[in-house]
């Protein structure tokens, strides 16, 4: 579920360069939290439609780095709470001969009381109020 925190992240990425390529994790690869509700293609289409995004790509089923090799970015901006370890990503890129900066995005501070900047919190609120 897209929320203002995602938009903050994408705008921060856009400020780093001329193009923003987003890799959408495949649902079956999401093992560190509840899997997405929407299917992969629908999530890719939604992100691809956002103004800061040049192109959204589906991730590879077995190898996280396959789309990165294809895109050949100058910089990878990890989400502020994304579970990937920046040093581990750097080491793997080096091991594949990819010259790419790896940074961690800043988190977005709430701009008003009660603003929800987490998919999990949005789902919790929906369940509290609608279930």
């Amino acid at each position: 579920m897209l929320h203002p925190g995602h938009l903050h992240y994408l705008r921060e990425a856009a400020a780093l360069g001329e193009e923003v390529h987003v890799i959408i994790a495949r649902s079956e690869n999401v093992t560190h939290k509840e899997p997405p509700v929407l299917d992969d293609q629908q999530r890719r289409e939604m992100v691809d439609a956002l103004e800061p995004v040049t192109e959204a790509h589906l991730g590879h089923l077995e190898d996280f780095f396959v789309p990165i090799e294809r895109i050949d970015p100058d910089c990878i901006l990890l989400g502020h709470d994304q579970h990937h370890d920046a040093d581990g990503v750097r080491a793997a890129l080096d091991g594949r001969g990819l010259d790419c900066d790896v940074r961690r995005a800043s988190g977005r501070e709430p701009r008003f009381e009660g603003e929800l900047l987490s998919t999990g919190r949005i789902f919790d609120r929906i369940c509290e109020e609608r279930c």
Side-chain angles (χ1 to χ4, degrees), residues 89-121:
V89 171
R90 280 185 201 95
L93 291 168
D94 287 344
R96 291 173 180 243
L98 295 171
D99 183 22
C100 181
D101 187 22
V102 178
R103 300 181 189 185
R104 178 77 59 186
S106 66
R108 180 174 182 263
E109 293 298 320
R111 295 190 181 148
F112 56 87
E113 187 176 331
E115 183 177 27
L116 299 175
L117 300 174
S118 156
T119 301
R121 289 187 184 125

Side-chain angles (χ1 to χ4, degrees), residues 53-124:
V53 176
T54 304
E55 187 174 355
H57 312 263
L58 287 177
H60 192 271
L61 288 169
E62 288 106 30
D63 188 343
F64 173 83
F65 293 94
V66 166
I68 295 170
E69 290 174 324
R70 188 178 69 251
I71 296 164
D72 192 24
D74 294 324
C75 179
I76 294 174
L77 184 65
L78 299 172
H80 84 282
D81 62 352
Q82 197 169 5
H83 74 284
H84 295 292
D85 172 61
D87 290 334
V89 171
R90 280 185 201 95
L93 291 168
D94 287 344
R96 291 173 180 243
L98 295 171
D99 183 22
C100 181
D101 187 22
V102 178
R103 300 181 189 185
R104 178 77 59 186
S106 66
R108 180 174 182 263
E109 293 298 320
R111 295 190 181 148
F112 56 87
E113 187 176 331
E115 183 177 27
L116 299 175
L117 300 174
S118 156
T119 301
R121 289 187 184 125
I122 292 170
F123 281 129
D124 290 345

Side-chain angles (χ1 to χ4, degrees), residues 8-20 52 77 103:
H8 170 80
Y9 167 62
L10 294 171
R11 287 177 175 156
E12 189 170 327
L16 294 174
E18 296 176 10
E19 296 182 354
V20 174
L77 184 65
R103 300 181 189 185

